[in-house]
Structure formats: structure tokens, C-alpha cells
Amino acid sequence: MGTDDILLLGVGIQPPWGLVDQRLDTDKQPHELHLEVKCERGMKYACPECGQSHPAHDFQKKTWRHLNFFQHHCYIHASVPRVRCPDHGVKLVKVPWARTGSAFTLLFEQAALALVREMPVNAAARLIEVTDKRLWRVVEYYVSKAVAGFDLSAVQAVGLDETASKRGHNYVTVFIDMERRAAPVLFVTAGRGQDTVAAFGEFLKSHKGVPEQVLEVVCDMSGAFLSAVPRHLPKAQITVDWFHIVQTFTKALDEVRKAEGRVKPLPKHLRWAVLKRGDIGHLTDHQLNALLELLEQGLDTATAWRVKERLRWVRQASTPQGARWRITRFINYSTDLVGTGKLLEPVRQALQTLATHAERVVRRWTSTYTNARLEGLNGLFQAARARARGYRNTQTFMTMIYMIGSPAGAVLKST
Ligand SMILES: [Zn+2]
């Protein structure tokens, strides 16, 4: 084996391609190793569309960034034949070391993807010294290829939730398989509400799934989801998961606290004190003192907090009958407690929502699917946001959710 062969080992350069020149450019920092490869002339080449062989019509100069050779950047240059196919016109032939349209070799892309699985894209881009924009293009290519190959034929229970790629705007809705513990993400789409359920129905059908086979959907209490699910997943029963109930009441509490804070001074350290679980052990001393002060002063925020804390008692019901009974008791007790004060309107609304959806909430006691799944999505969203840091738009955020939370991540490993 000569030195040329060693250089080409692993690059994917094989006959009819061969190395004709190599030079190290030491004027550049870092130094650049340039490999010039060439294919034998007078051969026939396959049309990339149909595979029929034709002689070269002409040649086009192309360059690919390859893995660093020690600390030197490495580039491969080649004149790539174009064939004139009677059926497909003039086409550039495929080279074995790169996919069509990419300016990187396959090995370079593999190494880049391995990094992107472990660190934010902009950090990986710095490490391999390419712009993050170009790296994103590679990542998006492989992720969408993996997603196109998803098989949803076994899906029977779906959970869905929405989140914002940035605070307050650019929503995405994520659908997960409630039966899959690892990499549960099935589908990610821009937007929120009814259209996303329609989009999921289409995605399901185009990936071997059967909408009529989906028997359960777990989601929050938003009217948009509740009206769209029967249209696109006609056999599905809707379960409202507990996590979203707590979220609804926590949000109401936060609104009361903000509104009340505008009209009178509230104890310091109150915000996190009321949002956290109220049992001893979860709170710092400051937060505990803030809570005690809050309760002493008889503020509306205290009332909203009492209602939220009382939810845990409902959650502890051990049977559907018990849950139904506790929900009724909880609503009656809280309605009395809340009264008619103006500031407590958000809590009255939360109670109304719970009353409307009580049966769907009770279903979680009969559902076989743990409700921790949707709660776990929050961690996934946070991780995806962190990974897409510095280059975040809806598309990159969605790509990262697939990458971290779906089987696409595993497919990339073996690309
Ligand atoms: Zn052809």
C-alpha cells in the first residue's frame, strides 16, 4: 500500500477514481491539504436518475471539505463528469464520497452529526470550523430523511403538547407515542391548535399509520384540540392529563399574584414560593416566610394558592369514582373560597374549565398511560432550545426536537 492509498483510505475514493495530486498549502492558517482526484477517462457513467450508462458529456469542477488531516483542513477536488441522458437531460454523476449537492464528504458529515448529537450546533460548528448555517443544512437534511422513513403503523395512543420556540411566539406542536418510553416524538409541526391535528392526521397516513387505530389522545384542555381530535382521529377518546390541570391553576395563580402586586405590596420572594409545591422541604426559608406572611394578610393571592394546593388532594384519589367525587368537592369548596372578588377571576375561569372537562380528567384514572410522559416533554423542549441556541428559528427548533426526542436521533448515529 503506497502513501496515496493511505490518504484515500476511508475517504470513499475508489476506482475509477484515483488520486492525481496532493499539496499542502502552508500559506493558509490553519494549513490546508488539497487532494486532487480524477476518474479514468473514456468510461461510461451512470445517470443519477435512472442508472443508464452514458459517456461523459463534460466535466464540472467540484470541491468538498473533508475531515481534518491532523490539524490541517482537508479538501478534495475533482472534475466530475456530467452525462447527457436521453430521458433526464444533462446530469452530474454521483461520486462515492459525498451525497449529491453537499459540499462536505460523507465522513465529514458523519463526524459533524456525531458532535451535534452531543452539543449545541454552534459549538459543534466552531469545533469543526464551519459556519453554523452550513452545519444546520447538513443536520436538517439527515433529520428530514430519517423522519421521512418513520413507520407509524403501530401507533394507538398519542399525546400532544405545544410550546414556543421563543418566549411568547412561534409555536410548535409536538405529537408523541404514549406507549414509547424512549424517543417518543412522532411528529413536530409549526403552529398550534386545530390545524396541527389535521397535519398529524396526514402525516400518520403518509407513514403507514391508521387514524382509526388511534384510540386515545392525551392533551390539555384547549378547545381547539378538543374539537379537532374527533375529526382527524375519529375513534380516539380524549384524556386531559393531570400535568395540564396543575398548569392551568398555576397560571391562574400567577395572574392573580401579578394583578394584586400592582395594587398592593406583596411579601418578597413570593413568586417562586407560590409556584412551587407547598409542602415543607420544597421551599427555602425565605419562600416559606413569604408564604406565611401571605396567608396572614388574607390576600387574594393566598386564596389562589390554597386552591392550587388543594388540587393535590384530588390527584390522590385512588379510583375513578373517588376522583369524580373529589373533583366535585374541590370545585364546590374552591368556588366558595374564591367568592366574587374581581382579582380572583382567573381562578374562577380555571375552575370553570375543570368543571367542563371533568369527565376527560377522570379518564386519566382509567388510562393505562402514565401522565408523566407529557410532563417529560418540558425537559425535551428545554434541551432542544439549549441545543439550538444562537441560531434559533422555528425550523431549527423543530429539527432539534426530532434529533433529541425521536428515533431520528438514532438513525443519525448509523448514517
Ligand atoms: Zn437518466
Side-chain angles (χ1 to χ4, degrees):
M1 186 182 273
T3 48
D4 288 2
D5 297 329
I6 291 168
L7 268 180
L8 298 181
L9 199 68
V11 181
I13 294 171
Q14 58 213 24
W17 295 90
L19 186 69
V20 288
D21 187 34
Q22 49 174 298
R23 69 193 161 80
L24 188 64
D25 187 344
T26 51
D27 294 341
K28 296 269 174 57
Q29 257 338 308
H31 298 176
E32 291 178 355
L33 178 66
H34 294 272
L35 305 178
E36 184 86 38
V37 300
K38 205 173 175 181
C39 59
E40 291 166 23
R41 296 291 155 118
M43 288 193 42
K44 286 190 168 181
Y45 307 93
C47 163
E49 303 285 330
C50 63
Q52 283 183 62
S53 290
H54 306 286
H57 167 70
D58 60 5
F59 293 84
Q60 228 170 42
K61 275 217 152 286
K62 295 275 172 195
T63 299
W64 297 265
R65 172 82 189 275
H66 186 51
L67 289 177
N68 285 2
F69 191 74
F70 295 97
Q71 73 275 33
H72 314 314
H73 285 190
C74 181
Y75 294 90
I76 293 172
H77 305 274
S79 288
V80 183
R82 297 200 304 169
V83 292
R84 183 192 285 278
C85 172
D87 299 329
H88 301 100
V90 177
K91 292 277 172 191
L92 201 65
V93 308
K94 279 186 181 145
V95 296
W97 59 86
R99 64 184 169 88
T100 309
S102 176
F104 301 111
T105 64
L106 291 169
L107 269 183
F108 187 94
E109 290 185 337
Q110 267 178 40
L113 291 172
L115 289 177
V116 169
R117 285 182 50 82
E118 308 300 331
M119 60 174 73
V121 168
N122 56 3
R126 265 199 306 279
L127 207 64
I128 54 176
E129 298 170 285
V130 299
T131 65
D132 51 4
K133 210 170 191 164
R134 295 183 75 192
L135 183 52
W136 269 115
R137 234 177 280 143
V138 173
V139 171
E140 273 165 8
Y141 169 81
Y142 283 101
V143 168
S144 58
K145 192 176 149 193
V147 170
F150 280 3
D151 178 348
L152 271 54
S153 58
V155 173
Q156 294 185 345
V158 174
L160 60 102
D161 202 3
E162 59 187 30
T163 189
S165 71
K166 288 181 182 164
R167 192 183 274 270
H169 44 98
N170 296 335
Y171 278 85
V172 306
T173 301
V174 177
F175 293 74
I176 63 169
D177 186 340
M178 293 300 283
E179 293 175 288
R180 202 158 69 202
R181 191 173 292 278
V185 172
L186 296 168
F187 178 60
V188 188
T189 185
R192 63 199 294 198
Q194 314 196 14
D195 294 349
T196 65
V197 182
F200 174 70
E202 290 307 310
F203 184 84
L204 190 63
K205 281 187 266 180
S206 60
H207 290 78
K208 302 181 189 164
V210 184
E212 290 75 18
Q213 189 183 284
V214 177
L215 300 179
E216 183 164 355
V217 171
V218 184
C219 60
D220 67 14
M221 295 181 280
S222 87
F225 288 151
L226 299 179
S227 67
V229 166
R231 256 180 284 137
H232 303 287
L233 304 167
K235 299 270 174 68
Q237 288 214 311
I238 297 172
T239 301
V240 169
D241 76 326
W242 191 255
F243 164 66
H244 281 116
I245 309 285
V246 176
Q247 205 176 45
T248 300
F249 280 89
T250 305
K251 204 168 148 246
L253 162 61
D254 206 37
E255 283 169 26
V256 174
R257 181 190 58 81
K258 278 187 202 148
E260 194 163 44
R262 282 194 284 271
V263 292
K264 58 182 85 162
L266 296 180
K268 276 188 183 177
H269 308 290
L270 189 60
R271 178 163 182 233
W272 293 111
V274 295
L275 293 184
K276 278 188 181 176
R277 289 182 55 154
D279 2 9
I280 310 301
H282 288 89
L283 300 171
T284 66
D285 287 349
H286 281 316
Q287 289 169 342
L288 200 57
N289 288 335
L291 266 186
L292 293 174
E293 209 179 313
L294 177 79
L295 295 173
E296 270 169 21
Q297 293 175 11
L299 297 167
D300 285 340
T301 307
T303 306
W305 179 79
R306 279 206 182 95
V307 171
K308 184 206 76 166
E309 286 298 301
R310 184 77 176 175
L311 268 181
R312 205 171 312 128
W313 172 76
V314 180
R315 172 73 182 82
Q316 284 156 356
S318 49
T319 61
Q321 291 77 7
R324 195 172 288 124
W325 184 80
R326 286 193 184 199
I327 288 174
T328 309
R329 289 290 303 268
F330 168 78
I331 291 173
N332 291 342
Y333 157 89
S334 306
T335 306
D336 285 349
L337 198 65
V338 166
T340 53
K342 187 167 159 283
L343 286 179
L344 283 164
E345 179 57 24
V347 181
R348 275 195 297 278
Q349 277 180 18
L351 288 166
Q352 183 57 53
T353 309
L354 175 59
T356 307
H357 300 297
E359 276 312 304
R360 293 188 174 114
V361 176
V362 169
R363 205 170 283 144
R364 83 150 307 287
W365 268 264
T366 49
S367 167
T368 46
Y369 305 109
T370 160
N371 118 114
R373 286 296 148 73
L374 282 186
E375 197 166 2
L377 270 180
N378 258 351
L380 169 67
F381 295 153
Q382 276 173 22
R385 274 188 204 100
R387 291 289 188 81
R389 197 172 57 212
Y391 196 78
R392 192 193 306 155
N393 55 42
T394 307
Q395 188 55 47
T396 56
F397 183 49
M398 286 167 46
T399 301
M400 267 304 150
I401 293 175
Y402 274 125
M403 184 107 180
I404 300 173
S406 85
V411 170
L412 292 184
K413 252 190 208 166
S414 56
T415 302

